Amino acid sequence: VSPDGKRVLAITDRAAWLQADLQYDGDGMLAGIEHADLSPMIDIDGKSTVAPRSDSESLTIVGNAALVGFERQARVMRFALDGNRSPTSERPTVFAAPQAITRQPSNEGLETMTSLEIGRVLAISEGLIENGAMTAWIFGSEGRAAETLHYVAAPGYNPTDATTLPN
């Protein structure tokens, strides 16, 4: 959701962007969407992203870019955004993530990402388990190395999304 709460940028599980204007009622509660657009993500070759590379799972915004985590062919892609926070036609690039993300089970990858301060990103793997805990990373910025963390989920629960709160 844009900082002003007026637009949403989301992803599907099949490498598509959903963009829409958010509508609110008189009490400020979300009431609907308008001007929805569903469009394919382009891959590094400039064409639509297709299987097996199309299993998009997580999204976070860092500056003027959208970072998208993918399963099956595990990677994080960086997509340029315009001034309205819409993806541009520029070809995406591979974001420098730890090599360990390639060890994730095929359909249990980076289910969760959120932006932290100074361009850093918290990413949690759904299926890379080490010593009974899910593996997570804080991706570095400006040449900083990624940090590896471990997350113990409550029984029966897996992280499926995250957001960074102001505090």
Side-chain angles (χ1 to χ4, degrees):
V1 176
S2 63
D4 63 5
K6 293 182 179 181
R7 291 204 34 89
V8 64
L9 174 65
I11 60 173
T12 71
D13 198 31
R14 299 273 187 243
W17 300 106
L18 171 65
Q19 300 178 76
D21 295 330
L22 300 176
Q23 303 300 308
Y24 297 91
D25 66 17
D27 295 324
M29 301 298 293
L30 184 62
I33 62 171
E34 288 185 332
H35 310 113
D37 177 64
L38 192 63
S39 57
M41 287 181 195
I42 58 172
D43 209 340
I44 56 176
D45 63 1
K47 298 177 183 175
S48 295
T49 305
V50 296
R53 294 180 53 83
S54 61
D55 194 359
S56 48
E57 293 294 329
S58 51
L59 166 69
T60 193
I61 307 297
V62 178
N64 62 350
L67 300 181
V68 178
F70 289 84
E71 293 182 332
R72 300 195 195 279
Q73 291 190 0
R75 67 201 184 284
V76 177
M77 300 297 294
R78 181 192 178 281
F79 294 84
L81 299 176
D82 65 19
N84 294 319
R85 293 178 65 158
S86 293
T88 70
S89 59
E90 182 180 320
R91 290 182 184 190
T93 57
V94 177
F95 182 79
Q99 181 65 25
I101 71 167
T102 62
R103 296 194 334 255
Q104 298 174 108
S106 176
N107 196 29
E108 296 180 327
L110 293 180
E111 191 76 24
T112 302
M113 287 197 307
T114 188
S115 300
L116 304 173
E117 81 289 345
I118 317 169
R120 294 169 32 132
V121 173
L122 171 66
I124 304 173
S125 173
E126 180 182 20
L128 185 56
I129 308 296
E130 296 176 344
N131 299 318
M134 295 174 179
T135 304
W137 299 272
I138 297 179
F139 300 154
S141 63
E142 299 177 16
R144 291 178 63 174
E147 301 171 45
T148 301
L149 309 169
H150 291 91
Y151 175 80
V152 178
Y157 292 92
N158 284 340
T160 57
D161 206 352
T163 193
T164 301
L165 300 175
N167 62 350

